[in-house]
Amino acid sequence: MNEKHGPDLMPTQTPVSLDQPSRPESSSVSDEIASNLVRFVDASATATLLFDRQQRVLYANRAAVALAKIVNAQDKDRILDFVHDWHPDLLPAEAMHACLKSGDWMGEVVLNVTPGSRANLLVQLSMLGRGHTWPCGLYVRDTTDDYTREAELHARNAELEITYAKIKGVQEQAVQSEKLASIGQLAAGVAHEINNPIGYINSNLSTLQQYVANFLTIVEICSDAIVRSGDPAAVSALEEARRRFDLDFLATDVGQLLTESREGIDRVCKIVQDLKEFSRGSHKEDWVKADIHKGLDSTLNIAWNELKYKSEVIKTFGDLPLVECLPSELNQVFLNILLNAGHAIKERGLITVSTGCSNGKIWIAIADDGEGIPEDVLPRIFEPFFTTKPVGSGTGLGLAISYGIVAKHHGTIEVTSVPGQGTLFRIELPTEQPSGLI
C-alpha cells in the first residue's frame, strides 16, 4: 500500500499566552512547533486525515494507513489519494453536510470489511480553516474491539443472571423443602398427640355404648316387673315417668347418638392416621415399595376440607403394583395438584382422579373442569415463583417443587388445558427406580 502524505501541518495562528501580549514567533521556532505537531499526530493511535474540498487527502498519519489495511482487507494495494479510497462508506454524505454547516460532526459508522465481518468506527469531522472553511480534518477511532467486549460482557452478564436465577430458585426450593419437612414433622407430632386422647375416647365410647345397652335392658326388665306386679300406683308412676322423659324416644335416640359419635371418632382416627401417613418421613426418607392408591386416599382426606364445598371428587383406580418411591414426597405432589384443581373451580365442579399401569410404568391423572390455563401461561407453570394468583395468595413454588419431585423419581409430569373447559395433569412413574441412581 502506498502511503500518501500531504504538506507539513502548519499552525493557523501564533500561540497566545493569557498573561502576556501576543508577539510573533521566529520562523525557526514556528517550524519546530509544526514539526513536533506532525510527529505528535503521526504517533497518535487515532487515525487522522487532512483533506481538501475535493476530498483529496493532504495528510494521513500512520494510524490512518493502518486503518486502511483493516477496512480494505481484500484490496490492500489500493492507492489512497482520496477519502473514499480508505472506504466508500467511511464518510457519510450527511456528515459532510453537517460539518460544513456547523464546523463539526461526530457519529458512528459501520463498515463491511469482509463477508461476515464488520468494523465499528467512531468518526469525527472538523473544518480547520477560519469560519468553517477548508481544509477538513477527519479523526477515526476503531471501536470494534469495544463493541466485541461490550457484547461479551452483555452475554456474560446474561449468563450470570440466568445462573443467579437458577441458584436463587434452587435455594428457595431448598428452603421451601425444609419448611415442608418441618411442617410434616410438626403435623406428625400433633397427630401423635391427638391420637392418644382419641384412642381412649374411642375406647370409652365403646364401653359406654355397652353400658347404655345394659341400662336400657335393666329399665325394660324393671318396667315388665312393675306391670306384672299389678300394683296400680306403681304402674301409673311408671307410665308417668315414661311419658315425662319420653323413655321410648330416649331408648332409640341414645343408641343413634352413640353410633354417630363412634362414626365421628372413627373419622377423626382416619384423619389422624392419614395425617401421620402424609407427613411420614422427611428429606431423609428412605425409598420404599408403596401403595400409590393409599397415598392418594390419604392426600384426598387431607385436602377434602378445601375441596368439599365446591367440587365432587370421582376416583377411578386401576390395578397398580407397589411403586418404589418416597411416599411423602409423592403425596406432596398429589396435594399441590389437587389444591390447584380446587382453586381452578370457582363455584361448583368436578375433579377426577384416575390411575392405571402400562409398559412397566404407572400413571396418575388428576383433572378438573375449572377455568383452565391460558395458552401463553401454560409453558411457564412449572417455573419457580411463577404464579397467576394474586399477590400474597401463592408462592409459585408448588408446581415447581412437584416437577422436581417427579423428576427425582425418574418420571414425567405433563399438563394439558383448554381455557374455560379445564385442566389435566398426568404423572408417569416407573415401578422401580434405576439401579444405582437412587
Side-chain angles (χ1 to χ4, degrees):
M1 180 180 292
N2 297 324
E3 299 184 11
K4 304 294 294 181
H5 293 274
D8 290 344
L9 292 178
M10 297 295 291
T12 56
Q13 64 181 39
T14 304
V16 177
S17 173
L18 295 178
D19 55 357
Q20 295 180 357
S22 174
R23 61 177 181 273
E25 295 283 354
S26 66
S27 176
S28 60
V29 172
S30 179
D31 290 344
E32 184 179 356
I33 293 175
S35 178
N36 289 336
L37 181 58
V38 169
R39 283 195 293 270
F40 174 76
V41 173
D42 204 42
S44 172
T46 300
T48 304
L49 299 177
L50 188 67
F51 61 92
D52 61 15
R53 187 186 303 272
Q54 288 73 37
Q55 297 189 9
R56 179 183 295 276
V57 176
L58 305 175
Y59 170 81
N61 67 351
R62 286 194 295 266
V65 177
L67 176 66
K69 294 179 181 179
I70 295 174
V71 299
N72 292 293
Q74 295 178 315
D75 186 11
K76 295 185 177 182
D77 295 328
R78 178 180 297 183
I79 297 175
L80 306 175
D81 287 333
F82 295 89
V83 174
H84 63 77
D85 291 332
W86 259 256
H87 195 283
D89 300 322
L90 177 61
L91 189 61
E94 66 274 12
M96 199 67 250
H97 177 76
C99 183
L100 289 171
K101 185 176 180 180
S102 64
D104 291 285
W105 177 87
M106 179 180 289
E108 291 184 329
V109 176
V110 179
L111 304 181
N112 292 318
V113 178
T114 60
S117 174
R118 301 189 306 175
N120 296 85
L121 305 177
L122 180 63
V123 178
Q124 180 180 356
L125 288 173
S126 294
M127 301 303 296
L128 302 179
R130 295 180 182 275
H132 301 168
T133 58
W134 301 92
C136 182
L138 173 65
Y139 312 97
V140 183
R141 186 167 69 86
D142 189 351
T143 59
T144 304
D145 291 341
D146 296 342
Y147 272 88
T148 302
R149 282 191 294 270
E150 184 177 358
E152 291 175 351
L153 286 174
H154 279 298
R156 183 64 60 85
N157 186 58
E159 291 176 1
L160 289 175
E161 288 181 353
I162 293 173
T163 303
Y164 174 74
K166 289 181 178 179
I167 292 174
K168 187 176 180 181
V170 170
Q171 183 181 24
E172 291 292 340
Q173 289 190 39
V175 171
Q176 187 72 3
S177 296
E178 288 297 327
K179 288 181 179 179
L180 291 174
S182 299
I183 292 172
Q185 292 174 357
L186 177 62
V190 171
H192 177 73
E193 292 300 320
I194 293 176
N195 201 44
N196 290 332
I198 288 297
Y200 61 72
I201 291 174
N202 188 34
S203 175
N204 290 348
L205 276 176
S206 298
T207 304
L208 180 60
Q209 193 170 25
Q210 184 61 46
Y211 288 171
V212 169
N214 292 340
F215 278 127
L216 290 175
T217 300
I218 292 172
V219 169
E220 288 301 321
I221 291 173
C222 291
S223 297
D224 290 343
I226 292 173
V227 170
R228 285 195 302 270
S229 70
D231 185 345
V235 171
S236 176
L238 174 62
E239 292 300 326
E240 176 63 24
R242 293 182 75 96
R243 284 193 301 271
R244 180 181 177 185
F245 296 108
D246 199 356
L247 188 59
D248 292 336
F249 171 75
L250 289 179
T252 303
D253 194 49
V254 71
Q256 293 179 353
L257 289 177
L258 287 171
T259 300
E260 290 174 0
S261 297
R262 284 292 304 278
E263 290 175 353
I265 290 298
D266 289 342
R267 171 68 175 157
V268 172
C269 289
K270 181 67 167 61
I271 292 174
V272 170
Q273 182 59 37
D274 287 340
L275 186 59
K276 291 174 66 177
E277 181 66 25
F278 180 84
S279 60
R280 180 176 64 83
S282 64
H283 59 284
K284 296 181 180 179
E285 182 182 8
D286 293 329
W287 293 80
V288 296
K289 292 279 189 176
D291 184 350
I292 294 297
H293 289 159
K294 188 175 180 181
L296 283 168
D297 284 334
S298 65
T299 305
L300 280 167
N301 206 14
I302 296 298
W304 184 239
N305 189 57
E306 290 281 341
L307 305 178
K308 63 183 179 182
Y309 296 108
K310 58 181 179 179
S311 62
E312 177 186 0
V313 178
I314 296 179
K315 297 187 295 184
T316 307
F317 288 172
D319 293 329
L320 297 185
L322 296 179
V323 176
E324 189 174 15
C325 64
L326 301 172
S328 65
E329 292 196 6
L330 287 184
N331 289 346
Q332 184 64 52
V333 174
F334 303 150
L335 181 64
N336 289 338
I337 297 175
L338 286 168
L339 291 180
N340 281 346
H343 294 157
I345 298 172
K346 294 305 179 184
E347 294 182 359
R348 192 71 189 174
L350 180 68
I351 296 176
T352 60
V353 183
S354 308
T355 63
C357 181
S358 61
N359 300 323
K361 293 184 177 181
I362 64 104
W363 55 265
I364 306 102
I366 301 175
D368 66 76
D369 59 357
E371 292 187 328
I373 304 172
E375 186 176 354
D376 60 327
V377 172
L378 197 61
R380 302 188 60 193
I381 63 170
F382 294 114
E383 292 181 10
F385 314 110
F386 178 79
T387 178
T388 58
K389 297 177 183 177
V391 176
S393 299
T395 63
L397 284 174
L399 289 178
I401 291 175
S402 298
Y403 188 91
I405 291 173
V406 173
K408 184 195 294 188
H409 285 75
H410 300 93
T412 59
I413 178 171
E414 298 176 347
V415 57
T416 55
S417 184
V418 178
Q421 297 185 25
T423 302
L424 168 67
F425 283 87
R426 181 184 171 91
I427 301 169
E428 284 194 359
L429 299 171
T431 56
E432 293 186 3
Q433 294 299 310
S435 177
L437 296 181
I438 295 179

